[in-house]
Amino acid sequence: MLGIVVWGLALGQALLITGNILLVSVTALIGQSIAPQGLATVPVALQFLGLMSSTLPAALLMGRLGRKKGFLLGNVVGVIGAGLAFYAVSESLFLLFCLSTFLLGIAIGFGQQYRFAATEHAPSHKAPQAISLIMGAGVIAAVLGPNMAIWFEYLFPDVQYLGAFAVLFVL
């Protein structure tokens, strides 16, 4: 039996990937509506740039500070990014939206460490099962992420997809 920490990490992974898929589902559409001509996909690119630029530093930082503090820092960055995205979309502020997606990418980069944390909290003979559980959380996300974009598209009737960032903030 896997411990509660591993199950908690699996839940964290499911929420992270759900948010990531939700973000990918709506970012270019939002960019299309608020970006200057030809720049609609810049926020998506910045999300992935944030992810790529933070994955290795996140691992190194967690090695120094511990996983718990590293995940907390990543989540704080994600909450700030989601809050900024909510504001940027509500006010049609393209540059702020770009910054917010970069921050959300950084948070996702920190979240990439969940599978490694799971192996550290599972007995050695259960490590493959722990990794499978963490990665299997992506199946939940594959269903929830795009559907949440649809379900919350008009949570705030005046601004399309603004509800996605309210949900992302909660995730």
Side-chain angles (χ1 to χ4, degrees), residues 153-170:
E153 179 178 2
Y154 288 106
L155 181 64
F156 299 93
D158 295 338
V159 183
Q160 187 178 20
Y161 299 116
L162 184 59
F165 291 98
V167 170
L168 189 61
F169 187 82
V170 172

Side-chain angles (χ1 to χ4, degrees), residues 67-133:
R67 297 263 186 222
K68 187 174 183 176
K69 288 180 182 175
F71 288 134
L72 181 61
L73 177 61
N75 284 329
V76 167
V77 171
V79 167
I80 291 168
L84 287 176
F86 182 89
Y87 180 73
V89 171
S90 70
E91 299 297 321
S92 297
L93 301 171
F94 180 68
L95 292 177
L96 186 60
F97 186 59
C98 288
L99 172 63
S100 70
T101 59
F102 182 76
L103 292 174
L104 288 163
I106 289 172
I108 294 165
F110 272 77
Q112 297 299 312
Q113 303 298 313
Y114 282 127
R115 62 185 177 270
F116 303 115
T119 62
E120 294 168 3
H121 288 283
S124 60
H125 69 283
K126 295 276 189 176
Q129 186 179 1
I131 292 172
S132 296
L133 180 65

